[in-house]
Amino acid sequence: MRTQISIDTVRGYFVRQIEETSGQDLLACNQCGKCSAGCPIVAEMDILPSQAVRMAQLGMEDVLESTTIWICASCLTCVARCPKGVDLPRLMEALRQVALRKGVAKLDLNDLPPELVKELPQLAIIGGFRKYMR
Ligand code: SF4
Ligand code: SF4
């Protein structure tokens, strides 16, 4: 899906949904890039954290298809670096929630090998369920 950017997308339902779910003001971000420069796992992402914010600002729902929103580890490094007070982990969580509500399935219990489930700490399993399942 490729979102056509217009005044309707910038002021549209998707932007309001993300702002309400995350409690963040998307337009506070001035695209300085400090979050992306400091993210410890940016090399694993398909778009930069600051690009995810930009896409959300513009109402580009394509951001829901990016791996970045699932890879973000909520480590808070970007929160400490952001000069505008944007809480990016909350924003990523909101994007994941919206993606999950749209039916994106990131984890199927049946795909987990039983021997792995036996070895994983329970907290890791529960954390994974909360992050990747609706
Ligand atoms: S550090 Fe903050 S203001 Fe700068 S690009 Fe990231 S979210 Fe936007
Ligand atoms: S919270 Fe997410 S986006 Fe921010 S620095 Fe950590 S992994 Fe990167």
Side-chain angles (χ1 to χ4, degrees):
M1 177 179 61
R2 184 61 57 192
T3 306
Q4 293 293 320
I5 301 168
S6 70
I7 196 69
D8 291 334
T9 60
V10 174
R11 294 185 181 164
Y13 176 74
F14 179 67
V15 172
R16 288 201 309 278
Q17 188 181 27
I18 297 302
E19 287 192 328
E20 284 170 15
T21 307
S22 67
Q24 302 302 298
D25 175 6
L26 286 173
L27 291 180
C29 170
N30 63 7
Q31 289 291 292
C32 71
K34 282 179 72 97
C35 51
S36 301
C39 177
I41 46 176
V42 72
E44 305 300 322
M45 297 173 169
D46 59 349
I47 58 172
L48 300 172
S50 52
Q51 288 176 316
V53 183
R54 188 64 176 145
M55 289 175 79
Q57 283 177 331
L58 295 174
M60 296 175 69
E61 295 193 35
D62 323 45
V63 68
L64 301 179
E65 294 165 17
S66 99
T67 61
T68 295
I69 66 174
W70 305 99
I71 288 174
C72 170
S74 302
C75 70
L76 303 179
T77 305
C78 52
V79 177
R81 291 171 60 90
C82 179
K84 302 294 286 183
V86 178
D87 191 325
L88 238 145
R90 281 180 188 260
L91 196 54
M92 297 287 190
E93 171 69 14
L95 291 166
R96 288 195 295 270
Q97 288 298 318
V98 171
L100 288 171
R101 282 181 218 152
K102 284 178 175 280
V104 176
K106 281 290 165 186
L107 186 65
D108 186 337
L109 282 179
N110 297 321
D111 290 344
L112 293 177
E115 53 278 10
L116 178 67
V117 174
K118 273 188 205 156
E119 282 180 19
L120 283 174
Q122 284 189 343
L123 271 179
I125 295 175
I126 292 167
F129 288 169
R130 289 186 60 199
K131 180 170 179 178
Y132 297 114
M133 294 177 74
R134 191 174 167 196

